[in-house]
Amino acid sequence: MYVGRDMTELTMISKTDWKDSELAFFHHSMQQVVPYLNVEGQSLHRQIVEEIERRGGLKRNEADYTHGTKIQYD
């Protein structure tokens, strides 16, 4: 379960200030409903994808005994 800032709060700040976990969660959520998104939703999803790409993706560089290489948002 996602525990973090909701979309209402996040839309009021720059995507560069979002945490990786927030980008990952909302990208995954929006990816599931892409066919149903209106123009505004598609634009927001595109901005999220562009920010993920600007950061070089969502992979962790190294795994340790408590974390894998994939960003966890729940």
Side-chain angles (χ1 to χ4, degrees), residues 20-32:
D20 286 349
S21 60
E22 293 165 338
L23 288 168
F25 174 77
F26 286 106
H27 170 58
H28 177 75
S29 297
M30 295 180 98
Q31 191 175 30
Q32 301 298 309

Side-chain angles (χ1 to χ4, degrees), residues 18-53:
W18 289 29
K19 298 175 187 172
D20 286 349
S21 60
E22 293 165 338
L23 288 168
F25 174 77
F26 286 106
H27 170 58
H28 177 75
S29 297
M30 295 180 98
Q31 191 175 30
Q32 301 298 309
V33 295
V34 164
Y36 309 105
L37 292 175
N38 63 13
V39 175
E40 186 177 353
Q42 292 172 7
S43 175
L44 179 60
H45 187 228
R46 187 178 328 92
Q47 292 170 17
I48 290 170
V49 170
E50 288 170 358
E51 179 59 23
I52 291 170
E53 290 172 349

Side-chain angles (χ1 to χ4, degrees), residues 20 52 55-62 68-71:
D20 286 349
I52 291 170
R55 294 183 187 192
L58 293 174
K59 301 279 187 211
R60 289 172 46 101
N61 293 332
E62 295 181 4
T69 57
K70 184 178 176 187
I71 298 291

